[in-house]
Amino acid sequence: TLLSGKEKLRTQNGEHAVMSAFAMLLKDMGNDVALYECVKTDPDELEDSELKTLLQFYRGFLFFEKRRYYLSEAEFTRNISWLDQNPDVSLPYARILFQWPGADDRSTHTAFHGMNHLVRGFDRQMMDRPIDEERALEDFEAFLVDARAIGLDNELVWSIEAYLYLKKEDHEKAIAALTKLRSS
């Protein structure tokens, strides 16, 4: 026996995480292999770090793609909680992965936090309960707060604004967002 107990679990967990990332990079392996590897990865067994949060983001995105909305929501929720508890964490790999080369640590953190809220909002939109729609709107609002904090002002932001303000029946703000979209 080479490994046993917690050491074996950590090693297996790391192997599944690496295979999941590898499957994602090699499109020929397919999403089914990536999904299998993601399911076999237990994020709770990984050390709290940027790599763990990126793995959870990827897991959430993959679960979302496979219409496993509650699993996806859980991953994004964990990420948001971790980011809230670690506001000063450096995220150099996220900066590389999302191609934000000029961003500093604070704006990278804010952008990644906003992305987690945005995708979790989409997750919640796909769920059936009325409370999930309310929570989705809260996520979209959180995304907009983060987007404004980093100065993001583009079609994505305007689309989310238009949707959110239409749902909240704030017609003046919805028209402003739709006007920006129309003229872009």
Side-chain angles (χ1 to χ4, degrees):
T1 304
L2 296 175
L3 300 171
S4 62
K6 280 203 171 264
E7 189 177 353
K8 180 179 179 180
L9 284 174
R10 268 193 227 115
T11 301
Q12 286 176 333
N13 207 32
E15 290 170 352
H16 287 298
V18 168
M19 282 302 296
S20 179
F22 193 63
M24 175 186 73
L25 293 173
L26 295 176
K27 305 253 189 251
D28 292 342
M29 287 183 84
N31 278 346
D32 291 335
V33 172
L35 181 63
Y36 170 81
E37 294 298 338
C38 271
V39 168
K40 289 294 192 177
T41 304
D42 181 4
D44 293 332
E45 291 296 322
L46 296 172
E47 180 181 322
D48 276 349
S49 67
E50 179 187 17
L51 293 177
K52 178 179 176 177
T53 196
L54 288 172
L55 175 66
Q56 286 182 165
F57 183 83
Y58 172 64
R59 283 170 51 99
F61 197 79
L62 189 60
F63 290 149
F64 176 79
E65 189 177 62
K66 293 293 184 178
R67 299 174 186 229
R68 306 292 187 260
Y69 302 121
Y70 290 96
L71 291 173
S72 181
E73 178 195 30
E75 295 301 322
F76 293 119
T77 298
R78 280 195 251 195
N79 259 358
I80 291 165
S81 294
W82 186 79
L83 289 165
D84 286 344
Q85 293 169 8
N86 297 282
D88 298 323
V89 70
S90 179
L91 300 167
Y93 297 123
R95 205 172 2 263
I96 292 166
L97 183 66
F98 297 113
Q99 299 177 0
W100 301 327
D104 62 8
D105 286 341
R106 189 79 198 127
S107 59
T108 300
H109 184 280
T110 303
F112 190 50
H113 184 265
M115 284 178 58
N116 276 275
H117 273 288
L118 179 64
V119 184
R120 186 175 73 175
F122 290 142
D123 265 325
R124 289 173 167 174
Q125 282 293 114
M126 304 308 253
M127 297 174 183
D128 296 327
R129 302 174 308 176
I131 187 72
D132 294 319
E133 183 176 4
E134 290 174 34
R135 290 174 178 164
L137 296 178
E138 291 169 6
D139 276 325
F140 294 148
E141 285 180 303
F143 164 74
L144 291 173
V145 167
D146 286 343
R148 288 181 190 117
I150 60 172
L152 190 62
D153 191 35
N154 61 18
E155 287 86 359
L156 174 63
V157 172
W158 305 329
S159 298
I160 297 300
E161 283 177 336
Y163 179 79
L164 177 68
Y165 297 137
L166 284 170
K167 286 298 228 177
K168 291 186 153 221
E169 297 184 13
D170 187 340
H171 303 294
E172 203 171 295
K173 288 181 180 179
I175 290 170
L178 289 168
T179 302
K180 288 179 186 178
L181 276 170
R182 182 176 164 193
S183 64
S184 71

